[in-house]
C-alpha cells in the first residue's frame, strides 16, 4: 500500500513570495527519506506540498506537480481532502485535540473517513494504532483520559497513532522529535524503523545524527543565495550524502563549514 | 562493513554530534535570558491580584548581583497604588450599592403581609403592603433565557461565517453591521418592537399555538402583540452583538496547530470547524452567552415598551404568548410614584433580587472564563 512520490518542477509560493523553486525528486515506496538543510530553506514548505497542506495558508499556492504512484495529486479533479486522508502528517509540536480523550484522538481521523463504525472495530483500531506507535502499554488503562494530559513524548506518539490509525500510504513528519527528550526521541526513531515496513516516510530533521540513523535517502535543501528562494541541492543515499556528497555545498553544510 | 565504510560512518557521526550541540545551544540561551520568576509581565487588569504581587519575593537569583536590592522604583509604586485604588473603588462602589438596596428594601420586606418570594400579589399603594416577586421572576427569566437561546445559535453562525467562511472583503462589513446593532439605543428597539415588529408576529404565534399549543409554553393567551415572545426576540437582537463579538474573538484565536491537526487528518472545512474551532471556543461562547443573558435580565426600556402588563388578579400563565412584567419594567412603570419610602422599598426589593440574579449570572460567566485559562 505504500506509494512512490515524485515531485516535478515544484515552485512553491506564499502569495507573491517564491519560497522554494524547481524541486524535483523521487521517493521510493517503503523507504525513509530525510530532509535536511538550514533553517528557512523550505523543508517544511516542500513537505507540506506533498499532502496539499501548503494551501491551507491564505495566499499560498504551488506550481508544478506532485505524483503519487504516477497520479497527480494536484489534478483539477482531485479533492485535497482525499489527498490528506491518504497521506498522514505529524507536526513539530504534538497537537492532539485538547478536548478529546486518548481514545477519541486515535479514532478522530477514522470517524471522519468512514462515519459510523462498530465499537468493536474502533477498539481494535485503537489498540493496533497505539501498539504501532509504541504507546499502548503506557495508556491502555486510561484511554478515556484527555490526550492533553500525556507527556510531550507520549503526545507525539499519540499523534503518530492518530495518523496511522487511518492506514495512510505515506507518512510525513516535520521535526517530530524536536520538542522531545532523548529517550522519547529514541522511541520515535525505533517506531519509524518499524513503520517503514508499511509506509513511505518523509521526515524533516535538524539533527543529522537522526537523519543518519533513520533514513536511507537524504535530501539537502539550501537557499540559492541571500534573498533567493530555497532549492533542493541534492538527494542521494544517506550514506553517500554524509560521506561523499556530490555537491560542495552539501559537504560544507554537514561538516559545519556553513555560511 | 569495509574500512572505508566504517570510517565514513565515524565521520558522519562526529559531524552529526557537532550539529546536535549547535542545535541545543539556542534553547538554553533563551532559557537563561528568560525572567526566572515569570513576573516580567504584569497584567494591567489585575488590580485584585496586587497583594499577591506584593508578596512575591523580588529575589530572582540575578537581582542581587546588580547590587540593587531593596531599591523601589517610584513608577512601580505609583502604578501599584493606582491599580489597587481603582480595584478598591469598584469593590466599594458595589458594596455601597448592595448596602443601599438592602437598607431600603429590608423595612418594606419586613412589613410585607405575604411571602416575598412566592406571592403573586403586588399591592403597595394602600396601607397594607402585599408584594411578591414570583411573577416578575418568571417573566424576567423566561424572556431572557428565550432571548439567549435564540441569540446564541445565530451568534455562533455569524461568528463562524466571519472567521471561517467569509472572504475578507465580506467578513469586515458583516462584522461591522453586527457591531452596529449594539449602537442602536434601546428606546429605539422598544419603539420599533412594539409598533412595527410585534404586530407582525401573529402568523407565527398562531402557527406555534396550533401545533405546539398543548405545551403550556406555547399556549396563546392574549391577542395583544405585547407578548414575552415579541420582547424576547427583540432582546435576542439586542444581545446578539456581544455574544457574536466574543464568539468571533475566541474562534479567531483557535491555535493553528489544532486547525492543522484537523486538516492533516483529511477533514473537510466543516469537520475542521467541528474538531478544532468549536471545542476550543466553547468556554468562551458559554461565557459570552451568559454575559448576554445578564444584559437581557436587566434590559429595561425596550422591554417596558413592548410587554403589556396583565390586569391585576389575572391567573398565572407560563406562556410565551402572554404579557407580563420583568423586574426592570415593573420598576420603570412605577417610577413616577416613588413618593413614600415603604412603597418605594417594595420596588427596591425587586431591584435587589434583579441585582443578585445578574450578579450570579455574570459571576458564573467569569468562572467559566477562568476555568478555560487553566486549560490553556
Ligand atoms: N506562513 C508563511 N507565510 C509566508 N512565508 C512563509 C510562511 N511559512 C514559511 N514562510 C517562508 O518560507 C520560507 C521557507 O520556510 P520553511 O518553514 O519551509 O523553512 P524550513 O526549512 O522548514 O525552516 P525550519 O528548519 O526553521 O523549520 C522561509 O523564507 C519562510 O520565511
Ligand atoms: Mg520547518
Amino acid at each position: 500500500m505504500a506509494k512512490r512520490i515524485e515531485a516535478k518542477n515544484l515552485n512553491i509560493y506564499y502569495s507573491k513570495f517564491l519560497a522554494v523553486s524547481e524541486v524535483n525528486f523521487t521517493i521510493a515506496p517503503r523507504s525513509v527519506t530525510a530532509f535536511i538543510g538550514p533553517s528557512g530553506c523550505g523543508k517544511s514548505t516542500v513537505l507540506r506540498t506533498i499532502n496539499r497542506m501548503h494551501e491551507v495558508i491564505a495566499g499560498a499556492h504551488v506550481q508544478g506537480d506532485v505524483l503519487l504512484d504516477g497520479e497527480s495529486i494536484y489534478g483539477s479533479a482531485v479533492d485535497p481532502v482525499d489527498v490528506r486522508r491518504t497521506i498522514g502528517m505529524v507536526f513539530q509540536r504534538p497537537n492532539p485535540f485538547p478536548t478529546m480523550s486518548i481514545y477519541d484522538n486515535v479514532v478522530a481521523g477514522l470517524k471522519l473517513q468512514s462515519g459510523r463504525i462498530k465499537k468493536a472495530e474502533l477498539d481494535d483500531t485503537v489498540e493496533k494504532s497505539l501498539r504501532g506507535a509504541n504507546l499502548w502499554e503506557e495508556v491502555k488503562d486510561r484511554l478515556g483520559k484527555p490526550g492533553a494530559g500525556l507527556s510531550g513524548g507520549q503526545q507525539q506518539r499519540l499523534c503518530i497513532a492518530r495518523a496511522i490509525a487511518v492506514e495512510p500510504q505515506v507518512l510525513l513528519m516535520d521535526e517530530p522529535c524536536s520538542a522531545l527528550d532523548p529517550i522519547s526521541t529514541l522511541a520515535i526513531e525505533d517506531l519509524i524503523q518499524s513503520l517503514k515496513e508499511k509506509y513511505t516516510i518523509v521526515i524533516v530533521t535538524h539533527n543529522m545524527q537522526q537523519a543518519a540513523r533513520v533514513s536511507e535517502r537524504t535530501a539537502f535543501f539550501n537557499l540559492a543565495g541571500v534573498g533567493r528562494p530555497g532549492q533542493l541541492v541534492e538527494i542521494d543515499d544517506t550514506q553517500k550524502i554524509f560521506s561523499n556528497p556530490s555537491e560542495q555545498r552539501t559537504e560544507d553544510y554537514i561538516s559545519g563549514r556553513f555560511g | 562493513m569495509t574500512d572505508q565504510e566504517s570510517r565514513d560512518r565515524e565521520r558522519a557521526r562526529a559531524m552529526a554530534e557537532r550539529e546536535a550541540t549547535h542545535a541545543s545551544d539556542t534553547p538554553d540561551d533563551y532559557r537563561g535570558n528568560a525572567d526566572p520568576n515569570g513576573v516580567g509581565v504584569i497584567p494591567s487588569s489585575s488590580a485584585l491580584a496586587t497583594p499577591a504581587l506584593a508578596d512575591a519575593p523580588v529575589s530572582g537569583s540575578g537581582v542581587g548581583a546588580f547590587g540593587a536590592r531593596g531599591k523601589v522604583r517610584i513608577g512601580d509604586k505609583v502604578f501599584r497604588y493606582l491599580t489597587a485604588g481603582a480595584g478598591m473603588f469598584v469593590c466599594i462602589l458595589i458594596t455601597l450599592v448592595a448596602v443601599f438596596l438592602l437598607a431600603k428594601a429590608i423595612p418594606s420586606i419586613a412589613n410585607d403581609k405575604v411571602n416575598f418570594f412566592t406571592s403573586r400579589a403586588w399591592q403597595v399603594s394602600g396601607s397594607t403592603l402585599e408584594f411578591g416577586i414570583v411573577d416578575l421572576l418568571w417573566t424576567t427569566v423566561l424572556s431572557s433565557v428565550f432571548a439567549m437561546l435564540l441569540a446564541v445559535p445565530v451568534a455562533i453562525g455569524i461568528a463562524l461565517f466571519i472567521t471561517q467562511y467569509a472572504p475578507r472583503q465580506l467578513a469586515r462589513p458583516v462584522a461591522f453591521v453586527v457591531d452596529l446593532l449594539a449602537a442602536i439605543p434601546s428606546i429605539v428597539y422598544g419603539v420599533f418592537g412594539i409598533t412595527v415588529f410585534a404586530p407582525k408576529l401573529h402568523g407565527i404565534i398562531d402557527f406555534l399555538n396550533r401545533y405546539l399549543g398543548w405545551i403550556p409554553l406555547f399556549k396563546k393567551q392574549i391577542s395583544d402583540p405585547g407578548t414575552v415572545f415579541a420582547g424576547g426576540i427583540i432582546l435576542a437582537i439586542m444581545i446578539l452583538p456581544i455574544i457574536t463579538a466574543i464568539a468571533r474573538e475566541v474562534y479567531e484565536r483557535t491555535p493553528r496547530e489544532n486547525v492543522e491537526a484537523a486538516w492533516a487528518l483529511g477533514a473537510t472545512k466543516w469537520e475542521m470547524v467541528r474538531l478544532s474551532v468549536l471545542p476550543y471556543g466553547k468556554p468562551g461562547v458559554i461565557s459570552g452567552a451568559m454575559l448576554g443573558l445578564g444584559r437581557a435580565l436587566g434590559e429595561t426600556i425596550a422591554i417596558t415598551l413592548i410587554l403589556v402588563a396583565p390586569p391585576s388578579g389575572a391567573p398565572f400563565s407560563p406562556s410565551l404568548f402572554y404579557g407580563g412584567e420583568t423586574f426592570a419594567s415593573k420598576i420603570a412603570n412605577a417610577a413616577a410614584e416613588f413618593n413614600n419610602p415603604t412603597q418605594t422599598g417594595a420596588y427596591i426589593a425587586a431591584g435587589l433580587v434583579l441585582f443578585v440574579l445578574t450578579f450570579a449570572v455574570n459571576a458564573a460567566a467569569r468562572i467559566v472564563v477562568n476555568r478555560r485559562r487553566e486549560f490553556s
Side-chain angles (χ1 to χ4, degrees):
Chain A
M1 75 195 320
K3 293 208 171 174
R4 184 178 77 245
I5 309 165
E6 284 166 89
K8 293 227 189 292
N9 301 323
L10 278 180
N11 284 297
I12 312 172
Y13 294 85
Y14 290 100
S15 300
K16 295 217 168 57
F17 171 64
L18 176 61
V20 186
S21 73
E22 289 304 310
V23 173
N24 288 282
F25 58 74
T26 301
I27 290 171
R30 285 189 201 76
S31 69
V32 180
T33 303
F35 284 5
I36 62 169
S39 191
C41 65
K43 305 178 295 294
S44 304
T45 303
V46 172
L47 193 75
R48 290 164 60 94
T49 56
I50 300 177
N51 67 342
R52 296 191 65 169
M53 278 294 285
H54 179 64
E55 65 210 64
V56 307
I57 296 166
H61 59 106
V62 176
Q63 281 171 4
D65 208 352
V66 176
L67 309 180
L68 203 60
D69 267 3
E71 264 179 72
S72 167
I73 64 166
Y74 281 94
S76 53
V78 176
D79 184 354
V81 166
D82 292 332
V83 173
R84 294 181 204 128
R85 288 178 181 186
T86 318
I87 305 182
M89 186 161 210
V90 176
F91 296 83
Q92 179 167 0
R93 279 179 56 191
N95 57 356
F97 295 114
T99 51
M100 283 188 195
S101 66
I102 294 173
Y103 187 101
D104 288 338
N105 259 292
V106 176
V107 297
L110 210 61
K111 280 188 171 163
L112 291 183
Q113 302 192 5
S114 346
R116 295 237 151 271
I117 309 169
K118 283 199 209 76
K119 177 89 169 71
E121 209 172 307
L122 284 181
D123 288 348
D124 280 353
T125 310
V126 168
E127 175 164 356
K128 201 173 73 189
S129 312
L130 285 173
R131 277 192 196 285
N134 261 330
L135 190 60
W136 174 251
E137 293 301 328
E138 287 156 76
V139 302
K140 65 178 181 214
D141 300 321
R142 46 171 169 157
L143 293 174
K145 294 271 157 58
L150 298 173
S151 78
Q154 290 171 326
Q155 284 187 26
Q156 192 62 301
R157 277 177 283 154
L158 176 60
C159 292
I160 295 176
R162 180 176 67 186
I164 61 179
V166 296
E167 310 208 323
Q169 283 148 358
V170 176
L171 196 56
L172 308 176
M173 305 175 129
D174 193 350
E175 302 185 41
C177 304
S178 67
L180 305 184
D181 70 299
I183 294 177
S184 308
T185 301
L186 219 61
I188 289 184
E189 285 179 10
D190 287 346
L191 181 57
I192 293 172
Q193 288 306 326
S194 62
L195 289 177
K196 80 168 183 202
E197 321 260 308
K198 285 174 76 178
Y199 307 103
T200 308
I201 296 175
V202 184
I203 175 171
V204 174
T205 176
H206 273 289
N207 181 336
M208 303 234 213
Q209 233 177 346
Q210 181 170 63
R213 276 195 302 260
V214 301
S215 72
E216 287 122 37
R217 303 267 292 172
T218 295
F220 172 60
F221 289 84
N222 202 352
L223 291 171
V226 180
R228 311 253 330 263
Q231 56 172 198
L232 174 60
V233 175
E234 64 176 312
I235 178 168
D236 213 329
D237 289 342
T238 299
Q239 275 275 344
K240 182 151 186 300
I241 291 277
F242 283 107
S243 57
N244 183 22
S246 331
E247 294 276 340
Q248 184 60 37
R249 282 176 294 168
T250 315
E251 167 103 39
D252 288 350
Y253 180 71
I254 56 183
S255 61
R257 267 183 281 127
F258 173 71
Chain B
M1 198 183 277
T2 67
D3 256 3
Q4 172 66 34
E5 252 172 29
S6 67
R7 239 181 294 125
D8 289 344
R9 288 228 145 199
E10 209 45 55
R11 188 166 153 223
R13 189 161 308 133
M15 286 163 189
E17 239 146 39
R18 184 149 21 130
E19 169 70 15
T21 339
H22 278 305
S24 70
D25 275 348
T26 332
D28 275 352
D29 276 352
Y30 176 72
R31 217 172 295 134
N33 291 337
D35 186 333
N37 289 334
V39 293
V41 185
I42 301 172
S44 59
S45 64
S46 66
L48 296 177
T50 311
L53 280 181
D55 285 345
V58 196
S59 60
S61 52
V63 174
F66 296 109
R69 285 200 75 205
K71 179 174 167 192
V72 180
R73 292 193 172 73
I74 190 92
D76 278 356
K77 214 170 179 179
V78 169
F79 182 70
R80 187 195 299 166
Y81 287 138
L82 274 179
T83 51
M88 249 141 81
F89 177 70
V90 172
C91 291
I92 291 171
L93 206 63
I94 294 214
T95 318
L96 282 180
V97 169
V99 167
F100 160 80
L101 289 174
L102 277 171
K104 295 282 182 178
I106 285 174
S108 298
I109 296 179
N111 282 327
D112 194 356
K113 295 288 177 293
V114 293
N115 188 310
F116 176 60
F117 291 105
T118 58
S119 168
R120 298 185 51 234
W122 196 275
Q123 196 50 254
V124 293
S125 47
S127 51
T128 53
L129 279 178
E130 284 185 5
F131 61 97
I133 54 158
V134 67
D135 274 3
L136 303 181
L137 183 66
W138 174 255
T139 309
T140 307
V141 171
L142 178 66
S143 59
S144 305
V145 170
F146 176 59
M148 185 185 72
L149 292 181
L150 286 183
V152 167
V154 178
I156 290 176
I158 297 174
L160 284 180
F161 177 74
I162 291 173
T163 59
Q164 310 292 325
Y165 289 93
R168 197 159 292 183
Q169 310 91 287
L170 198 57
R172 239 168 244 221
V174 171
F176 180 71
V177 168
V178 175
D179 284 344
L180 216 57
L181 287 178
I184 301 176
S186 56
I187 183 90
V188 174
Y189 275 112
V191 172
F192 167 79
I194 195 60
T195 60
V196 181
F197 182 70
K200 302 252 185 318
L201 293 175
H202 277 306
I204 301 179
I205 291 178
D206 286 339
F207 175 84
L208 287 172
N209 178 55
R210 187 162 337 125
Y211 294 101
L212 296 170
W214 50 274
I215 306 172
L217 202 56
F218 296 106
K219 193 157 184 316
K220 185 169 174 178
Q221 302 282 353
I222 51 170
S223 51
D224 193 290
T227 55
V228 172
F229 186 66
I233 296 176
I234 293 294
L235 279 180
I237 301 172
M238 294 175 75
I239 63 176
L240 190 64
I242 182 165
I243 306 179
T244 309
I246 291 177
R248 211 174 75 201
E249 183 139 323
V250 291
Y251 290 159
E252 229 149 48
R253 287 180 186 193
T254 313
R256 255 209 95 66
E257 54 202 70
N258 292 5
V259 173
E260 297 212 322
W263 283 133
L265 281 180
T268 60
K269 182 100 196 188
W270 166 238
E271 287 165 341
M272 183 281 285
V273 167
R274 230 183 47 213
L275 278 174
S276 311
V277 179
L278 290 181
Y280 178 81
K282 194 167 149 199
V285 172
I286 291 176
S287 74
M290 282 167 150
L291 286 178
L293 180 63
R295 191 163 282 191
L297 289 170
E299 171 50 39
T300 308
I301 196 65
I303 214 77
T304 308
L305 287 179
I306 294 170
L307 285 189
V308 52
S312 69
F316 174 78
S317 162
S319 175
L320 277 172
F321 307 144
Y322 192 58
E325 283 177 299
T326 66
F327 288 115
S329 74
K330 182 91 192 170
I331 298 169
N333 277 330
E337 309 152 22
F338 287 168
N339 36 31
N340 105 34
T342 43
Q343 183 184 343
T344 312
Y347 290 100
I348 290 181
L352 180 65
V353 178
L354 177 60
F355 176 76
V356 171
L357 193 63
T358 318
F359 199 83
V361 167
N362 278 300
R366 288 289 138 214
I367 290 170
V368 177
V369 174
N370 287 342
R371 179 125 38 89
R372 168 84 228 165
R373 209 163 287 154
E374 275 166 37
F375 276 112
S376 51

